[in-house]
């Protein structure tokens, strides 16, 4: 088993690095975007179709509902990577920066939530309501519609932030507005997902415990835990670096939060993200991020993409009706996000070019979409068929982001001044 596991590690990391290099050199895509593609390549859609016996040996499917031991190890590694990465995303979310353009960010964010959500619900009732191959048999139509809407609302906040950083517009009115709107959209989408997961349990007490416990956890994290971590920061001499004991305590708090939200029936990533947000954005947060982010991104996270790829079976979309649904999902996703956020930015008096850049940035789904889809699949909310349809949408909208932004941004383009600093 250990021999197979180490071979899995080598194959996964080599494929992700190779495709990442090719994507960056020839397609202008980011490493994380190409790792999404690598997950699909290593799954049954490509590797399984070209060399089924080899793919089955490397990534054996469940036999009678029992997961192969090597796949169990990979699953645990993937979940650890996801928890660490969501914590890093929380660390990067600066609430103070968002408040500086709260009014405009709220307008764009509402458009990026309401329009995709409405269009997602419309796609469900027009194309999916009467199908039995898209959602779990116990899922009520209203809950299924909310899930589709929530999945449409998500924004690839990490990718958005990275594009803004690479374009050199961090801290500008445009960069701040996009980050604020993207972060707000993701918080709303995660909240909708929490409701879906809670209600899908079919027990009012379980739903109330999940929602009430989640609200309580957020309140405690943003007050008591935040104060505890702020106190830890005052005890450090950062010229000598962060001490092992302080770093260990932060990691302990992180996984305690992940355990609690998982225990109440929400999901571990909620706890990790909330603890990251709760940390004061000072030297301690920077020191912790410096230690965690490289390991999470370069070692652990690729395994999450592989698990996503193993559940993505493009070959299962065999009928014209399946691809009609793919088309409807893409139209709703792009129209709702790109179109809705562009229109809202224009109403907030942003210049046309900057409004279009905001729409392009908000339209990317990326890793965040894969997380919400994997949660839905694991919890029995959606089936593998609908999961595959949504993965196609996530990949298309993610691949669009960087090239479109660069085209709109233009070589040497200077951000247009704006007087709307609301």
């Amino acid at each position: 088993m250990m021999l197979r596991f180490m071979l899995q590690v080598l194959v996964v990391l080599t494929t992700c690095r190779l495709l990442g290099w090719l994507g960056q050199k020839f397609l202008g895509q980011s490493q994380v975007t190409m790792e999404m593609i690598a997950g699909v390549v290593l799954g049954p859609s490509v590797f399984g179709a070209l060399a089924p016996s080899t793919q089955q040996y490397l990534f054996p499917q469940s036999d009678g509902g029992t997961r192969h031991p090597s796949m169990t190890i990979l699953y645990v590694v993937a979940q650890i990577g996801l928890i660490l990465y969501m914590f890093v995303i929380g660390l990067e979310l600066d609430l103070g920066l968002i408040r500086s353009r709260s009014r405009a960010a709220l307008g764009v964010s509402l458009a990026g939530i309401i329009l995709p959500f409405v269009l997602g619900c419309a796609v469900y009732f027009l194309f999916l309501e009467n199908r039995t191959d898209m959602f779990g048999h116990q899922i009520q139509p209203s809950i299924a519609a909310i899930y589709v809407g929530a999945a449409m609302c998500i924004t690839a906040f990490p990718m958005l932030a990275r594009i803004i950083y690479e374009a050199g517009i961090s801290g500008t009115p445009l960069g701040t507005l996009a980050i604020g709107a993207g972060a707000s959209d993701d918080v709303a989408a995660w909240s909708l997902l929490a409701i879906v997961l809670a209600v899908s349990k079919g027990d009012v007490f379980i739903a109330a415990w999940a929602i009430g416990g989640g609200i309580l956890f957020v309140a405690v994290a943003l007050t008591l835990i935040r104060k505890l971590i702020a106190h830890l920061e005052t005890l450090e001499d950062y010229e000598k670096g962060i001490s092992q004991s302080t770093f260990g305590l932060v990691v302990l708090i992180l996984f305690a939060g992940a355990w609690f939200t998982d225990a109440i029936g929400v999901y571990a990533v909620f706890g990790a993200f909330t603890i990251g947000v709760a940390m004061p954005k000072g030297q301690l947060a920077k020191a912790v991020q410096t230690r965690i982010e490289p390991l999470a991104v370069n070692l652990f996270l690729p395994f999450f993409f592989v698990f996503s790829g193993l559940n993505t079976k493009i070959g299962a979309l065999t009928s014209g009706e399946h691809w009609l649904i793919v088309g409807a999902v893409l139209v709703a996703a792009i129209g709702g996000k790109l179109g809705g956020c562009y229109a809202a930015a224009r109403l907030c008096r942003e210049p046309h070019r900057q409004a279009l850049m905001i729409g392009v940035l908000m339209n990317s789904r990326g890793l965040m979409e894969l997380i919400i889809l994997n949660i839905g699949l694991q919890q029995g909310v959606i089936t593998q068929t609908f999961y595959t349809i949504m993965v196609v949408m996530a990949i298309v909208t993610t691949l669009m982001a960087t090239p479109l932004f660069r085209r709109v941004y233009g070589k040497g383009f200077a951000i247009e001044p704006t007087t709307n600093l609301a």
Side-chain angles (χ1 to χ4, degrees), residues 225-244:
I225 295 177
R226 183 179 180 86
K227 289 181 179 179
L228 171 62
I229 296 174
H231 176 68
L232 288 176
E233 188 169 27
T234 63
L235 302 178
E236 287 289 323
D237 179 5
Y238 291 98
E239 290 184 0
K240 299 178 180 179
I242 183 174
S243 67
Q244 294 291 344

Side-chain angles (χ1 to χ4, degrees), residues 14 28 48 50 84 145 160 191 203 257 274 313 322-323 358:
T14 300
L50 296 175
L84 293 175
L160 179 152
S191 300
D203 189 311
T274 303
K313 298 182 178 179
H322 282 149
W323 288 104
I358 290 171

Side-chain angles (χ1 to χ4, degrees), residues 24 30-37 85 159 162 301 305 367 398:
Q24 289 173 329
S30 66
Q31 174 70 31
V32 71
T33 301
M34 296 310 297
E35 285 179 1
M36 288 179 62
I37 306 297
Y85 191 70
M159 173 171 286
R162 185 146 304 182
L301 201 57
F305 289 111
L367 171 65
T398 303

Side-chain angles (χ1 to χ4, degrees), residues 101 172-174 348-351 354 415-422:
R101 297 210 67 195
T172 66
L174 171 66
C348 292
R349 300 182 180 179
E350 294 293 329
Q354 292 181 215
I415 297 300
E416 300 169 26
T418 176
T419 57
N420 179 24
L421 298 177

Side-chain angles (χ1 to χ4, degrees), residues 57-392:
Y57 171 77
L58 274 174
F59 307 107
Q61 299 299 304
S62 300
D63 183 15
T66 302
R67 183 182 283 144
H68 189 274
S70 67
M71 296 304 292
T72 300
I73 297 173
L74 282 183
Y75 173 78
V76 172
V77 171
Q79 294 306 303
I80 291 174
L82 205 52
I83 289 170
L84 293 175
Y85 191 70
M86 288 301 292
F87 173 66
V88 170
I89 293 173
L91 287 176
E92 293 179 343
L93 181 57
D94 190 341
L95 298 177
L97 183 64
I98 293 171
R99 281 192 290 268
S100 67
R101 297 210 67 195
S102 57
R103 190 179 302 172
L106 179 61
V108 175
S109 176
L110 285 175
I113 295 168
I114 295 173
L115 188 54
F117 182 82
V118 170
L119 291 177
C121 291
V123 167
Y124 172 79
F125 287 113
L126 288 173
F127 297 95
L128 305 172
E129 184 178 16
N130 297 320
R131 298 190 64 98
T132 59
D133 60 339
M134 298 290 175
F135 297 90
H137 66 276
Q138 82 284 5
I139 302 301
Q140 300 175 4
S142 58
I143 297 304
I146 292 173
Y147 179 85
V148 177
M152 293 288 191
C153 289
I154 208 76
T155 291
F157 177 75
M159 173 171 286
L160 179 152
R162 185 146 304 182
I163 293 174
I164 287 173
Y165 173 79
E166 291 176 353
I169 57 175
S170 300
T172 66
L174 171 66
T176 302
L177 173 57
I179 287 175
S184 301
D185 273 14
D186 278 4
V187 169
W190 288 116
S191 300
L192 288 170
L193 178 61
I195 294 172
V196 169
L197 294 179
V199 176
S200 67
K201 304 293 184 182
D203 189 311
V204 176
F205 175 77
I206 293 176
W209 172 241
I211 296 170
I215 294 172
L216 177 63
F217 174 74
V218 171
V220 171
L222 295 180
T223 54
L224 298 179
I225 295 177
R226 183 179 180 86
K227 289 181 179 179
L228 171 62
I229 296 174
H231 176 68
L232 288 176
E233 188 169 27
T234 63
L235 302 178
E236 287 289 323
D237 179 5
Y238 291 98
E239 290 184 0
K240 299 178 180 179
I242 183 174
S243 67
Q244 294 291 344
S245 59
T246 300
F247 179 75
L249 185 54
V250 171
V251 172
L252 178 63
I253 294 171
L254 159 62
F255 278 93
W259 168 82
F260 180 79
T261 53
D262 201 45
I264 63 175
V266 182
Y267 205 70
V269 295
F270 290 98
F273 176 75
T274 303
I275 295 298
V277 173
M279 283 194 68
K281 303 304 181 276
Q283 290 180 306
L284 178 59
K286 291 179 182 178
V288 170
Q289 183 175 352
T290 299
R291 282 201 179 191
I292 289 180
E293 185 173 17
L295 196 62
V297 171
N298 293 301
L299 177 60
F300 290 106
L301 201 57
F303 296 102
F304 174 75
F305 289 111
V306 170
F307 263 91
S308 299
L310 293 176
N311 291 318
T312 304
K313 298 182 178 179
I314 305 296
L317 306 181
T318 54
S319 69
E321 195 172 358
H322 282 149
W323 288 104
L324 176 64
I325 295 172
V326 171
V329 166
L330 279 170
V331 170
I334 296 170
K337 271 290 187 182
L338 198 158
C341 293
Y342 166 79
R346 290 293 286 152
L347 289 174
C348 292
R349 300 182 180 179
E350 294 293 329
H352 161 72
R353 208 167 186 181
Q354 292 181 215
L356 188 55
M357 283 191 282
I358 290 171
V360 169
L361 288 170
M362 295 287 288
N363 184 52
S364 173
R365 266 63 177 198
L367 171 65
M368 306 302 286
E369 184 72 44
L370 293 186
I371 295 174
I372 202 171
L373 293 177
N374 274 274
I375 293 173
L377 184 63
Q378 291 168 17
Q379 298 296 320
V381 177
I382 61 176
T383 65
Q384 223 169 43
T385 301
F386 188 66
Y387 174 91
T388 299
I389 289 172
M390 294 298 285
V391 168
V392 171

